[in-house]
């Protein structure tokens, strides 16, 4: 129901502003060709776009402050080499449930550290697809919106950089938005956010290497740090090491993993991540267990993106509850079909970890079973869908 009435509400709001003399129009297309990239490409075809120098982009759940353009456009006006100015996401429903708190921790680190470092050091970062203003001439020169992957935002940022354009991220420019509170919605989002960059790396690595407009150091940053380490190795390493190899050392005692590699270094990295949202530092243990559980989804998506197979082009719109439903959310337990809630692979990994934990209790000589039992519990919770909130499907 929400999706059906939302366009009507937007249309009425546009009509109200139009009557007050504001130059505003309501546009909607009748197909989903190219998904978000297709919609943005279609929007750029309207005649009135030729009269504009910049285009601001917001997803439906974003609530920019009235001075957003006043704080972004001047950067573009005074720096002709600048293609994009983007703000930081803030979340209106971070306290809705444990899952949204854990998401806030990850995304806060992403913006506070990853986006800010990329912008300030190399004038490059992956555009997040919303809360940003593009210079239209840079957008057109870079080839416009391309639907070759499901991360059209990152794709455009890479192509603009290869054309010599610079990108700017402003950390204190905060835009309110909403986190997915349904676990299935989060799974779909994480699949797209992992599969898309991996697929983009496969398609753009050669172009980055051959680019004449990018310095050697910037190429190294884009290929090694941005894509290879953060978008590929980080996901695969988390799952393979903490959910497969480390538990297997219980079964094969002759194989030992140094404590610094298994615990000390990861603990240090985890503390750095907590810097992004200190108010949730007491949830670090839950964050680690949840991220390890989500690593299975990300690793599957990573393989699909690199091999360009399976659901590599799948685009599922991330469901958001909206303010109207905030007080109506119910736990994801009643009135939900069992098979819609269960995720078999997560349950299998949970069983594997539980078996290793029990084996370590009986035959082991260390305390690794403490981690294994808690991590297996996390996989069972995720596997049975007892995480997040359940929003009843809207009627068609």
């Amino acid at each position: 129901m929400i999706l059906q009435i939302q366009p009507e509400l937007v249309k009425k709001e546009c009509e109200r502003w139009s009557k007050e003399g504001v130059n505003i129009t309501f546009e909607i297309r009748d197909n989903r060709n190219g998904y978000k990239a297709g919609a943005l490409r279609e929007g750029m075809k309207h005649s009135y776009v030729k009269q504009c120098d910049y285009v601001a982009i917001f997803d439906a759940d974003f609530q920019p402050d009235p001075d957003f353009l006043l704080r972004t456009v001047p950067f573009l006006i005074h720096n002709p080499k600048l293609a994009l100015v983007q703000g930081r996401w803030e979340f209106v429903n971070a306290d809705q449930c444990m899952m949204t708190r854990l998401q806030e921790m990850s995304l806060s680190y992403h913006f506070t550290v990853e986006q800010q470092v990329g912008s300030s050091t190399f004038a490059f970062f992956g555009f997040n697809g919303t809360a940003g203003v593009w210079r239209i001439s840079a957008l057109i020169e870079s080839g416009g919106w391309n639907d070759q992957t499901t991360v059209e935002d990152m794709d455009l940022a890479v192509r603009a950089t290869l054309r010599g354009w610079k990108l700017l991220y402003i950390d204190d420019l905060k835009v309110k938005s909403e986190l997915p509170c349904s676990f299935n919605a989060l799974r779909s989002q994480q699949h797209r956010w992992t599969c898309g960059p991996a697929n983009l790396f496969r398609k753009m690595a050669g172009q980055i290497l051959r680019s004449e407009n990018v310095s050697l150091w910037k190429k190294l940053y884009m290929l090694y740090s941005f894509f290879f380490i953060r978008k590929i190795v980080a996901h695969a390493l988390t799952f393979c090491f903490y959910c497969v190899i480390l538990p297997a050392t219980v079964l094969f005692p002759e194989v030992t993993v140094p404590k610094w590699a298994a615990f000390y270094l990861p603990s240090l990295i985890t503390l750095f991540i907590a810097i992004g949202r200190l108010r949730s530092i007491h949830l670090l243990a839950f964050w680690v267990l949840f991220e390890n559980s989500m690593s299975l989804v990300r690793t599957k998506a990573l393989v699909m993106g690199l091999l360009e197979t399976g659901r590599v082009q799948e685009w599922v719109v991330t469901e958001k509850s909206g303010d109207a439903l905030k007080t109506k959310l119910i736990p994801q337990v009643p009135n939900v079909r069992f098979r819609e809630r269960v995720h078999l692979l997560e349950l299998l990994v949970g069983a594997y970890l539980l078996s290793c934990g029990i084996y370590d209790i009986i035959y082991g000589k260390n305390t690794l079973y403490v981690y294994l039992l808690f991590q297996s519990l996390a996989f069972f919770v995720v596997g049975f869908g007892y995480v997040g909130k359940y929003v009843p499907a809207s009627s068609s």
Side-chain angles (χ1 to χ4, degrees):
M1 181 180 295
I2 295 175
L3 295 177
Q4 291 177 339
I5 66 174
Q6 194 174 49
E8 294 301 320
L9 291 175
V10 175
K11 185 176 181 180
K12 288 180 180 179
E13 188 69 11
C14 289
E15 290 174 349
R16 183 177 71 84
W17 282 100
S18 181
K19 291 177 181 178
E20 295 184 12
V22 176
N23 183 12
I24 185 171
T25 60
F26 172 76
E27 305 284 358
I28 190 170
R29 61 177 185 157
D30 58 2
N31 62 77
R32 291 192 70 209
N33 295 338
Y35 304 112
K36 185 176 179 179
L40 292 167
R41 186 168 57 238
E42 191 72 21
M44 297 296 292
K45 294 179 181 179
H46 295 291
S47 59
Y48 50 77
V49 175
K50 297 178 181 179
Q51 306 171 21
C52 305
D53 295 319
Y54 314 106
V55 55
I57 301 171
F58 299 98
D59 285 352
D61 59 299
F62 276 68
Q63 307 167 36
D65 289 335
D67 64 347
F68 179 86
L69 293 179
L70 293 175
R71 297 182 62 186
T72 52
V73 173
F75 287 100
L76 295 163
I77 293 176
H78 297 293
N79 189 345
K81 294 183 179 180
L82 198 60
L84 166 70
V85 179
Q86 184 196 299
R88 176 195 178 109
W89 298 4
E90 285 291 297
F91 310 105
V92 298
N93 67 329
D95 295 324
Q96 196 165 36
C97 62
M98 175 71 78
M99 193 181 79
T100 53
R101 285 290 293 273
L102 301 180
Q103 289 178 73
E104 183 193 36
M105 292 176 65
S106 298
L107 290 172
S108 293
Y109 172 80
H110 167 67
F111 286 109
T112 303
V113 179
E114 295 176 343
Q115 297 296 72
Q116 195 158 234
V117 168
S119 173
S120 60
T121 307
F122 295 98
F124 167 77
F125 59 92
F127 176 44
N128 294 111
T130 179
V133 182
W134 275 93
R135 186 187 302 274
I136 292 179
S137 60
L139 197 157
I140 295 174
E141 182 185 317
S142 304
W145 299 103
N146 193 318
D147 59 1
Q148 66 172 336
T149 70
T150 56
V151 284
E152 75 298 320
D153 41 17
M154 187 182 296
D155 187 348
L156 180 58
V158 171
R159 285 184 284 114
T161 300
L162 298 185
R163 288 279 185 171
W165 291 96
K166 296 182 178 181
L167 315 179
L168 175 64
Y169 167 77
I170 306 176
D171 193 62
D172 62 355
L173 177 60
K174 299 177 181 179
V175 184
K176 295 177 182 177
S177 62
E178 189 177 338
L179 291 163
C181 60
S182 157
F183 182 61
N184 284 337
L186 179 63
R187 280 173 60 90
S188 298
Q189 181 194 71
Q190 293 301 306
H191 171 86
R192 187 172 76 249
W193 285 5
T194 307
C195 182
N199 192 229
L200 183 64
F201 175 69
R202 170 192 171 112
K203 294 180 175 180
M204 296 294 292
Q207 294 184 42
I208 295 174
L209 283 172
R210 294 190 297 269
S211 175
E212 299 178 355
N213 297 317
V214 179
S215 67
L216 178 62
W217 286 112
K218 197 167 185 176
K219 289 180 182 179
L220 183 63
Y221 171 76
M222 294 175 70
L223 288 172
Y224 180 74
S225 178
F226 181 79
F227 275 113
F228 184 67
I229 296 298
R230 283 161 47 188
K231 308 300 181 184
I232 297 176
V233 172
H235 302 310
L237 181 63
T238 299
F239 177 71
C240 294
F241 183 75
Y242 287 101
C243 302
V244 179
I245 297 175
L246 190 60
T249 61
V250 171
L251 307 176
F252 303 95
E254 62 273 15
V255 178
T256 59
V257 178
K259 288 186 177 180
W260 66 265
F263 300 105
Y264 300 150
L265 182 60
S267 297
L268 184 61
I269 294 174
T270 302
L271 287 175
F272 279 133
I273 291 175
I275 293 174
R277 190 59 65 178
L278 288 175
R279 77 184 188 99
S280 298
I281 195 169
H282 61 289
L283 299 176
L284 272 180
F286 295 99
W287 179 83
V288 170
L289 296 174
F290 183 70
E291 284 293 300
N292 286 348
S293 301
M294 290 300 297
S295 68
L296 175 57
V297 173
R298 295 175 182 137
T299 302
K300 286 167 50 186
L302 174 66
V303 173
M304 291 181 190
L306 289 176
L307 300 182
E308 204 163 23
T309 185
R311 299 181 291 127
V312 67
Q313 287 293 337
E314 179 184 74
W315 182 288
V316 178
V317 176
T318 305
E319 297 176 2
K320 306 290 179 69
S321 64
D323 292 339
L325 286 180
K326 276 188 178 178
T327 59
K328 300 179 183 179
L329 294 171
I330 58 175
Q332 189 172 339
V333 180
N335 302 323
V336 187
R337 285 187 297 180
F338 181 75
R339 70 181 197 179
E340 288 182 356
R341 199 172 69 229
V342 170
H343 307 285
L344 183 59
L345 284 180
E346 278 82 352
L347 294 178
L348 291 176
V349 175
Y352 165 68
L353 293 170
L354 179 61
S355 300
C356 292
I358 294 174
Y359 186 90
D360 191 39
I361 292 174
I362 299 174
Y363 302 105
K365 297 180 181 180
N366 52 50
T367 56
L368 189 59
Y369 66 85
V370 176
Y371 160 73
L372 293 175
L373 295 180
F374 276 112
Q375 189 61 70
S376 67
L377 178 61
F379 267 99
F380 284 130
V381 170
V382 168
F384 284 114
Y386 287 92
V387 61
K389 298 285 185 177
Y390 171 62
V391 181
S394 57
S395 57
S396 59

